[in-house]
Amino acid sequence: MAQASAEFSILLLQGFSQLCLSSLVEPLRLANALAGTELFRWKLVSLDGRSVASASGIAVEVSGSFAEAAKALPFEPQAALAICAGEGVEQHGSQELRACLRRIGRAQLPIYALGTATWLLADAGLLGDARCTIHWGKMAALSETFYDLAIDDALFVRDGQIVTCAGELAAFDLAIDIVQERCGTELARSICQHVTADRWRDGAACQSVPPGLRYGSTGKKLLRIVQLMEKHIEEPLSLEDISAQVSLSRRQIERLFERHLATTPWQHYLGLRLAKARQLIELTSMPIMNVAVACGFVSSSHFSKSFRDHFKVLPSKLRSPAA
């Protein structure tokens, strides 16, 4: 068991996910209760010290402002910062926030970015060449806005003092990992038993795994193919290239997609490319032609037709004032 309590300052930003916050805090609370001692402490803060509305509209009270907490963090034993962010994270970037995050970074304190909070660390220049992740809905926009980031499609990623997490239920897996690291496997298992969770997931597990493919040998074969497709969006691979890399015949690949996803490999691949295109259109200001190129389309007309057929709306309509 750890001797000193870990001290978390949790910064809540407007629109944060209550599911994410609870998934982080509840395992830590249970660790204290089951161990019979205070292994973890936490306090909630906001940018201005006022209550914060979650994405569900429920206001959460905090104990103070982030600026004040940031001044004290380097002097607190076992201190760490966690940031919970949701939609519209770009709007929270400010010179004061960047300065506070950089000061904490220079102090070599652990920083946990949950949900979309990875964006704020990138904006503050804290990630450098560190590996990171972010909620899948923001992954495309993050990669196109900050070109030099090493982004993983993972539940959570540890790289030095920086820990990034996809948020939502992935925050539970991260919390259990924190408990296991500090207090041992038995306590981690006891927490899972208490919340009726049969397991916790490894941080390297993919966010984008289609339902039913995470476990089992057949699912793992198909998962390898899907991951290849996701890594080659801008320059799509041919089915022959994929076949060679996974050591399966074209017909075997087609059967896997038909049996497990009720589609063809090419239709699934096209869906992945169009899903990324929609994220870029809705979450960035990239010109639509640039979006098309970033998603592997050689002409804007082909892109627009494919997009309209898939989403029943032209990409330009998503950029209209009404949209």
Side-chain angles (χ1 to χ4, degrees):
M1 289 292 182
Q3 297 301 312
S5 299
E7 306 260 357
F8 286 89
S9 291
I10 305 176
L11 171 60
L12 303 180
L13 298 174
Q14 293 290 336
F16 76 93
S17 165
Q18 282 188 306
L19 176 60
C20 179
L21 176 62
S22 296
S23 296
L24 175 69
V25 171
E26 282 301 301
L28 304 184
R29 179 189 69 80
L30 285 168
N32 291 345
L34 294 172
T37 186
E38 193 173 54
L39 301 171
F40 300 96
R41 297 178 184 174
W42 56 89
K43 61 182 177 182
L44 306 181
V45 298
S46 66
L47 291 176
D48 57 8
R50 299 177 182 176
S51 62
V52 186
S54 67
S56 58
I58 298 174
V60 176
E61 294 296 327
V62 299
S63 61
S65 73
F66 175 56
E68 290 301 316
K71 292 177 183 177
L73 270 172
F75 306 102
E76 294 180 354
Q78 303 293 317
L81 170 67
I83 311 171
C84 282
E87 291 297 327
V89 65
E90 308 93 326
Q91 302 168 12
H92 298 298
S94 67
Q95 194 57 45
E96 182 181 20
L97 178 58
R98 294 184 196 101
C100 288
L101 290 176
R102 288 167 184 161
R103 185 162 63 247
I104 293 169
R106 286 194 297 271
Q108 292 296 303
L109 295 179
I111 301 177
Y112 297 82
L114 310 178
T116 62
T118 303
W119 191 286
L120 299 174
L121 302 189
D123 183 54
L126 292 183
L127 294 179
D129 58 357
R131 291 171 52 249
C132 65
T133 192
I134 194 170
H135 187 273
W136 66 265
K138 210 71 172 176
M139 200 173 292
L142 181 72
S143 66
E144 293 295 335
T145 304
F146 303 97
Y147 301 106
D148 56 346
L149 294 184
I151 304 172
D152 284 357
D153 176 17
L155 298 180
F156 61 89
V157 174
R158 293 179 176 273
D159 197 317
Q161 74 184 98
I162 303 293
V163 182
T164 53
C165 174
E168 308 301 351
L169 290 176
F172 173 82
D173 302 298
L174 172 60
I176 296 297
D177 189 75
I178 293 170
V179 172
Q180 182 187 36
E181 181 183 51
R182 291 183 58 85
C183 311
T185 301
E186 284 306 311
L187 184 56
R189 286 176 178 164
S190 296
I191 294 170
C192 287
Q193 182 180 22
H194 192 88
V195 300
T196 66
D198 62 344
R199 61 166 68 91
W200 69 92
R201 298 170 294 178
D202 183 82
C206 292
Q207 298 178 48
S208 56
V209 177
L213 297 189
R214 192 176 299 280
Y215 307 107
S217 59
T218 303
K220 289 178 180 178
K221 291 178 183 177
L222 185 50
L223 177 56
R224 285 180 60 203
I225 299 170
V226 172
Q227 290 173 331
L228 268 176
M229 291 176 171
E230 290 174 339
K231 290 177 180 178
H232 295 84
I233 294 291
E234 188 168 348
E235 297 181 1
L237 299 172
S238 68
L239 194 52
E240 287 71 22
D241 291 333
I242 295 173
S243 175
Q245 293 196 43
V246 299
S247 301
L248 292 172
S249 71
R250 180 186 181 114
R251 184 62 190 136
Q252 285 175 311
I253 293 173
E254 290 172 342
R255 286 198 201 100
L256 285 174
F257 276 88
E258 182 178 355
R259 182 182 311 147
H260 294 279
L261 299 178
T263 188
T264 67
W266 188 246
Q267 286 172 332
H268 186 81
Y269 206 168
L270 179 62
L272 292 175
R273 293 160 58 202
L274 290 171
K276 177 178 179 179
R278 180 158 191 160
Q279 288 181 25
L280 293 177
I281 290 170
E282 292 181 334
L283 301 176
T284 75
S285 58
M286 287 176 65
I288 289 178
M289 186 61 219
N290 290 9
V291 171
V293 172
C295 297
F297 293 89
V298 295
S299 73
S300 58
S301 59
H302 180 217
F303 170 65
S304 294
K305 182 182 184 305
S306 299
F307 194 95
R308 183 188 60 200
D309 291 345
H310 192 79
F311 293 114
K312 310 306 179 189
V313 63
L314 286 168
S316 57
K317 292 294 183 182
L318 295 181
R319 285 276 172 85
S320 68

